[in-house]
Amino acid sequence: MKILVCVKRVPDTDTRIQISADGTTFDAAGVRFVMNPYDEFALEAALRLKESGRASEVTVVTLGDESAQETLRGALAVGADRGVLCRGVSGPDGLATAKILRSAVEAQGPDLVLAGVRSVDGDQEQVGPMLGTLLGWACATCVSEIEGGDGVLIAVREVEGGRERVQLTLPAVVTLTKGPFELRRPSLPGIMAAKKKPLEVREAEVVSPRVRVVALELPPARKEGRIVGEGPDAVPELVRLLRDEAGAL
Amino acid sequence: MTRVLAVLEQRDGRLRGVSAEVVSAAAALARDLGGEAEGIVLGGPGIEETVHAAQAFGARRIRVGSHEALAHYRPEGYAEALAGMIREGGTAAAVLFSATATGKDLAPRVAALLDLPLAQDVTGISGLGGRVRMVRPVYAGKANATIEHDAAPVLATIRPGAISAVEGISHAEIEPLSLALDPERWPTRRLSFEPEGGDIPDVSEAAIVVSGGRGLRDPANWAMLEELRAALGSEAGLGASRAVVDAGWRSHSEQVGQTGKTVAPRLYFAIGISGAVQHLAGMRTARTIVAVNRDRDAPIFRVADYGIVGDAFEVVPRLAAEIRARKES
Ligand SMILES: Cc1cc2nc3c(=O)[nH]c(=O)nc-3n(C[C@H](O)[C@H](O)[C@H](O)COP(=O)(O)OP(=O)(O)OC[C@H]3O[C@@H](n4cnc5c(N)ncnc54)[C@H](O)[C@@H]3O)c2cc1C
């Protein structure tokens, strides 16, 4: 089984957001970028399927500019076999991204596509299921565990109120959330080996986006909080405030 | 007549609470655009019986699509049936879903089938001059983007808790519809569902959330949080920081934050939680935030409306007792 893992380069989650002068975009100057945390779970799930002998090859693909090669190299350093950069613009229109990734999937011919459930920059949570639908494949989202079988995959979905087990007939697209496993970190030999692994660059198909960001703003500051007091003696006053002032009880 | 559609969600044949919110959001948007709101619900046979619960929230009619294979959420069947029902009856201005696990799984599929862009997890939506504008948090809640779509209908999922349900005066007509579907062709099959949390509402749906962090020191100490939760009543749920989920003290289903669930409850208690940005990402839109922390400089106090500086082991039992006493009085 061949696995394709979709990864994205995103601002480090600790980043303070600065808005560009035009008021509609994020100012990336001086920002550290990392692999989208959910994509790390997807990559880990793929590497585990390979280690257990159920997958033969793990390819990582990303849509982005040249700088996204760094993210691909990071994936190669922890064990992916090959990287593909679709050179193009990844914007706020998830369907445009899914269409570009569909071309990459068709070119690579995997049996299974894994992706993060969402990226932590746009927070759209849509590319995976859109890609699955465009391909006409089985698809499961928000999955924390997968087990491979012959031509089928069992996935555990995290939904409100419980966990749902679903069976997917391959080929399939699965989006991952945080699973019960720890992530691996690249080793020095891994980083050295990554430099020699194949990394292909292809031009992304041009799809006109249909989503426009009219404004990007910092959320209104929460009104200044109040320390009600210290220790258990502050409790009656807190409860009074919650009831009479905040109307929350 | 401009139409705004609201996709109602059911589970086990019962309409979920978020459905009233999404109908209310659709009704408000329809008013902005000078049109009417309409509901759509899918489910197994007999599902019509349950939609009465949504009649009073401002929709003109509710179309009910039923089929045996749709009793539980089936992604392919729901997406195909909905895409068909949305195409019917002319173009709508917008189609709104709830941003629940199901809604966020379903809406992208419908969007791909209809070749339309989608905005997930919208916290504000309005219509002005015939255009639909949406606000949605990005960068894990560190910024808000206002967006427009250059296509109609505009598809969006609405974050639970972000737009309040408002009872209207309308009494929707219910229009049952039977669907022709071929479940044999669907490549995913639901094997089982393991419920978690018993009667306690899921953290993402609870109106009040009591969350604990590493400051609680040991999983056994959750009995104390459970006590507080119980004092707050049946609308309260339990949450956790990632540190305690990673330590194996609590299940990931309770994790609040960037790699956990996003919550927007009326009241959020952060007990022994430092307030790292990744945790804030999941709960900063709570209406009222209360923090209990030993460290006066903990970042959680910067977002909390009310804080108590102190030891959780002394404060929480007192808090539970006080809330109980006030409820009884
Ligand atoms: C990519 C990424 C994603 C992440 N996603 C999430 C996420 O989804 N959710 C999340 O929560 N975190 C997430 N984190 C982790 C986050 O950065 C923090 O490490 C985590 O939130 C800390 O949890 P905590 O506040 O429980 O623990 P700590 O940071 O250890 O804080 C414990 C707090 O308890 C207080 N305390 C100690 N004893 C007592 C006492 N007796 N009484 C009262 N207070 C006491 C301390 O003063 C301290 O403030 C993520 C991190 C990364 C890098």
Side-chain angles (χ1 to χ4, degrees):
Chain A
M1 171 163 86
K2 281 166 59 176
I3 304 181
L4 188 72
V5 183
C6 302
V7 299
K8 186 179 186 188
R9 189 174 134 89
V10 299
D12 189 355
T13 54
D14 280 329
T15 305
R16 275 195 49 216
I17 298 300
Q18 311 267 23
I19 307 218
S20 308
D22 71 357
T24 62
T25 51
F26 158 73
D27 182 358
V31 168
R32 202 173 85 90
F33 283 82
V34 297
M35 183 189 294
N36 177 39
Y38 290 99
D39 303 348
E40 293 188 294
F41 301 130
L43 177 59
E44 182 62 34
L47 295 175
R48 280 172 192 239
L49 283 173
K50 190 181 165 198
E51 281 158 2
S52 69
R54 278 188 290 259
S56 52
E57 190 187 53
V58 175
T59 302
V60 279
V61 61
T62 192
L63 165 64
D65 59 22
E66 287 295 335
S67 66
Q69 288 202 22
E70 185 192 334
T71 309
L72 293 177
R73 290 280 174 212
L76 299 177
V78 291
D81 301 296
R82 299 189 306 116
V84 178
L85 168 65
C86 298
R87 191 159 46 197
V89 180
S90 150
D93 184 347
L95 191 55
T97 300
K99 286 176 181 171
I100 294 168
L101 291 174
R102 171 178 56 184
S103 311
V105 170
E106 283 165 355
Q108 300 295 324
D111 307 285
L112 176 62
V113 174
L114 299 182
V117 66
R118 68 166 187 246
S119 61
V120 300
D121 50 358
D123 289 325
Q124 283 278 27
E125 207 165 337
Q126 53 178 238
V127 171
M130 284 174 166
L131 176 61
T133 306
L134 292 175
L135 289 163
W137 289 9
C139 174
T141 60
C142 216
V143 166
S144 58
E145 288 173 67
I146 48 180
E147 296 158 36
D150 227 0
V152 294
L153 198 77
I154 309 287
V156 176
R157 300 186 62 222
E158 304 277 335
V159 300
E160 291 97 351
R163 293 149 59 86
E164 185 186 54
R165 282 169 72 81
V166 292
Q167 180 180 304
L168 311 169
T169 307
L170 294 176
V173 176
V174 172
T175 70
L176 275 292
T177 184
K178 182 166 169 272
F181 42 71
E182 288 222 4
L183 299 176
R184 62 195 75 197
R185 293 290 155 218
S187 62
L188 194 59
I191 294 168
M192 299 311 288
K195 294 195 170 133
K196 300 201 192 73
K197 290 183 178 173
L199 199 159
E200 176 195 331
V201 180
R202 44 180 281 155
E203 293 308 318
E205 175 191 351
V206 177
V207 180
S208 333
R210 290 177 291 173
V211 176
R212 259 176 314 122
V213 176
V214 186
L216 187 67
E217 289 157 313
L218 297 180
R222 289 190 75 96
K223 74 171 166 30
E224 193 59 39
R226 172 159 22 138
I227 301 284
V228 178
E230 283 187 31
D233 293 344
V235 165
E237 176 63 0
L238 171 68
V239 173
R240 190 193 67 77
L241 289 168
L242 287 177
R243 196 159 76 167
D244 301 344
E245 188 178 87
L249 281 181
Chain B
M1 174 63 85
T2 307
R3 294 149 66 233
V4 176
L5 311 183
V7 177
L8 315 187
E9 196 173 317
Q10 54 92 9
R11 184 187 283 166
D12 297 328
R14 292 232 307 273
L15 220 51
R16 303 186 64 191
V18 287
S19 296
E21 294 175 16
V22 82
V23 183
S24 301
L29 179 61
R31 265 195 306 278
D32 285 356
L33 297 170
E36 277 176 0
E38 234 177 74
I40 300 184
V41 63
L42 297 175
I47 187 72
E48 303 82 71
E49 302 309 312
T50 69
V51 303
H52 299 288
Q55 275 184 314
F57 292 89
R60 197 61 194 86
R61 64 172 182 159
I62 300 177
R63 283 189 286 156
V64 188
S66 64
H67 190 283
E68 262 141 43
L70 302 184
H72 291 297
Y73 176 57
R74 291 289 302 272
E76 297 89 356
Y78 271 58
E80 193 184 308
L82 257 182
M85 287 167 83
I86 292 168
R87 273 194 212 104
E88 259 170 45
T91 304
V95 184
L96 311 184
F97 302 71
S98 299
T100 55
T102 302
K104 288 193 287 188
D105 182 90
L106 174 59
R109 298 173 195 260
V110 172
L113 289 176
L114 297 175
D115 193 25
L116 290 167
L118 165 71
Q120 293 266 56
D121 230 351
V122 164
T123 51
I125 186 163
S126 58
L128 196 70
R131 289 198 73 88
V132 178
R133 274 206 167 177
M134 292 167 283
V135 177
R136 49 183 308 278
V138 291
Y139 301 106
K142 286 182 276 186
N144 286 324
T146 303
I147 56 170
E148 286 184 1
H149 285 184
D150 295 330
V154 166
L155 302 190
T157 59
I158 308 290
R159 179 178 289 187
I163 296 175
S164 316
V166 184
E167 285 208 37
I169 38 159
S170 80
H171 192 78
E173 276 165 47
I174 293 176
E175 191 180 303
L177 195 75
S178 62
L179 301 167
L181 296 168
D182 182 8
E184 294 302 312
R185 289 189 301 112
W186 303 341
T188 64
R189 201 152 61 82
R190 171 178 155 127
L191 299 178
S192 61
F193 182 76
E194 304 159 31
E196 250 179 327
D199 292 337
I200 303 180
D202 189 84
V203 62
S204 60
E205 298 175 310
I208 302 179
V209 174
V210 177
S211 271
R214 189 146 51 192
L216 289 167
R217 266 185 257 148
D218 189 280
N221 296 328
W222 249 260
M224 182 173 90
L225 293 194
E226 170 58 33
E227 186 93 351
L228 173 57
R229 189 208 64 76
L232 289 160
S234 61
E235 50 175 11
L238 286 173
S241 75
R242 174 165 174 176
V244 308
V245 172
D246 283 355
W249 299 356
R250 301 300 297 178
S251 139
H252 180 243
S253 62
E254 289 180 359
Q255 186 183 314
V256 172
Q258 185 160 66
T259 43
K261 288 176 177 159
T262 305
V263 301
R266 176 173 92 226
L267 178 56
Y268 188 87
F269 289 91
I271 317 276
I273 293 179
S274 58
V277 285
Q278 295 90 355
H279 188 80
L280 302 186
M283 45 64 80
R284 71 190 316 154
T285 47
R287 198 161 342 134
T288 300
I289 299 172
V290 175
V292 178
N293 200 300
R294 226 167 36 177
D295 174 8
R296 180 177 282 273
D297 297 322
I300 191 73
F301 286 127
R302 293 204 284 274
V303 299
D305 301 283
Y306 305 106
I308 292 185
V309 178
D311 188 340
F313 296 93
E314 296 171 7
V315 175
V316 174
R318 180 75 182 271
L319 192 52
E322 187 75 19
I323 288 169
R324 250 202 193 105
R326 297 251 176 162
K327 285 221 162 146
E328 279 155 19
S329 70

